[in-house]
Amino acid sequence: MNITLKNAFASVTCQTLGAELLSYQTASGKEYLWQKDPAYWAKTSPVLFPYIGAVPAPVLIHGKPYEMPRHGFVKDEEFTIAEQGEDFVKLITKNTDATMTVFPYAFTFSVTFRLEGAKLHVIYGVTNESDQEMPFLIGGHPAFFCPMEEGEHFTEYLLHFEDEDVEDLHLKYPMFDHDAILYENLTHRTVKLIHQCTNKGIQFDFPGYATVAFWTPIQKDAPFLCIEPWCGGTMDQVSNTDLLQKKYVQYLSAKESREYPFSFVPC
């Protein structure tokens, strides 16, 4: 089921399957989110939990192997509406018998979408419903049109970071030939995807996450870029599927809850 939120500045559509964000349009009707062309990538904004990345071998949790799907399983779960208003919705899903076979913990996972002016806030919430400590990885994967205007090109865009010692990253397709590019240890967890001449694009804030990755499909010259806030793993750890050895692995004590927010707004 699709759900649409609106205010005077923007409209947003998400779906209950995977709590995936499908559309962000300004009041003028300009779309910023990639629209699932399977020739390039048939997703728009999958939720990554409780694992991030490829799974070249079974995932180990306390030494026991589990057949975890790539990027975890929440992206394929059906959510229900917990709360809803004109400009916000909170969706939730819980563990099932099927999820327990690949992730042996009871949990509640929520995704909240909330419009504040033109800014969209996205909050992932995790509650450990089990009676033991729960390890997990978590992240977002929203894809934005790049270029954002007709007549422009992907290579005319750059990523601008608020940290003074981090240089702008001018986009070129070959830099993604070895998969995503990950930034760690940023002081200011804000990045702008903007055109190098007009400075127009989006501002993306990820205060709830340790790292941020950027990705576009390898050797496809795709007209979009994913901005992925992560808590979990680094690019050199892909082959190591021991969950507890992943950098930035998260832990929740029994019955503990935590939120992981990010947001974006046209700029």
Side-chain angles (χ1 to χ4, degrees):
M1 180 177 71
N2 288 0
I3 301 164
T4 298
L5 314 174
K6 290 184 179 181
N7 64 15
F9 303 92
S11 65
V12 168
T13 299
C14 63
Q15 65 181 13
T16 52
L17 179 60
E20 185 175 9
L21 181 62
L22 302 178
S23 172
Y24 171 96
Q25 294 185 8
T26 59
S28 65
K30 179 176 174 56
E31 178 65 70
Y32 279 83
L33 285 173
W34 171 244
Q35 293 298 292
K36 291 194 174 189
D37 182 348
Y40 296 101
W41 190 51
K43 293 283 188 179
T44 294
S45 183
V47 180
L48 315 184
F49 176 87
Y51 196 80
I52 293 175
V55 190
V59 170
L60 297 178
I61 304 176
H62 293 294
K64 185 175 179 180
Y66 294 90
E67 296 296 332
M68 180 77 68
R70 179 186 179 92
H71 287 326
F73 53 77
V74 159
K75 66 186 186 305
D76 302 310
E77 296 296 307
E78 186 67 30
F79 283 66
T80 59
I81 298 172
E83 301 176 52
Q84 186 175 7
E86 185 176 338
D87 59 359
F88 81 95
V89 66
K90 181 177 183 179
L91 306 174
I92 63 169
T93 192
K94 296 177 177 289
N95 59 284
T96 64
D97 290 345
T99 68
M100 293 290 283
T101 66
V102 296
F103 185 64
Y105 300 95
F107 65 87
T108 299
F109 191 95
S110 68
V111 179
T112 301
F113 298 103
R114 179 171 59 85
L115 279 169
E116 180 186 26
K119 179 180 287 189
L120 178 64
H121 295 271
V122 182
I123 304 168
Y124 297 164
V126 187
T127 299
N128 178 8
E129 306 286 5
S130 67
D131 57 3
Q132 57 186 314
E133 184 179 66
M134 182 175 77
F136 60 92
L137 311 181
I138 187 170
H141 204 310
F144 298 92
F145 278 119
C146 185
M148 299 181 189
E149 302 287 349
E150 287 191 23
E152 296 177 347
H153 192 269
F154 183 89
T155 57
E156 296 171 355
Y157 279 73
L158 60 84
L159 292 164
H160 173 73
F161 301 88
E162 295 297 303
D163 290 27
E164 293 183 359
D165 59 342
V166 180
E167 295 183 357
D168 292 345
L169 182 67
H170 290 261
L171 299 182
K172 300 181 186 301
Y173 284 117
M175 65 177 53
F176 299 97
D177 282 353
H178 300 288
D179 211 345
I181 298 170
L182 184 73
Y183 280 73
E184 304 176 75
N185 305 315
L186 293 173
T187 301
H188 302 285
R189 294 177 186 177
T190 295
V191 62
K192 291 181 179 178
L193 172 61
I194 53 176
H195 190 274
Q196 61 188 5
C197 296
T198 67
N199 288 330
K200 291 184 177 180
I202 62 156
Q203 176 175 312
F204 191 96
D205 297 284
F206 51 103
Y209 297 84
T211 69
V212 63
F214 306 98
W215 176 82
T216 194
I218 295 171
Q219 296 181 351
K220 286 190 175 183
D221 291 2
F224 69 87
L225 183 76
C226 291
I227 302 179
E228 306 178 39
W230 288 0
C231 285
T234 51
M235 300 312 298
D236 60 349
Q237 288 189 304
V238 172
S239 61
N240 182 356
T241 57
D242 189 328
L243 180 63
L244 275 60
Q245 291 182 16
K246 291 288 187 176
K247 196 172 183 181
Y248 309 115
V249 61
Q250 303 292 287
Y251 293 92
L252 286 180
S253 300
K255 312 307 178 185
E256 184 183 2
S257 299
R258 190 175 302 151
E259 292 186 338
Y260 296 83
F262 65 86
S263 64
F264 64 86
V265 65
C267 62

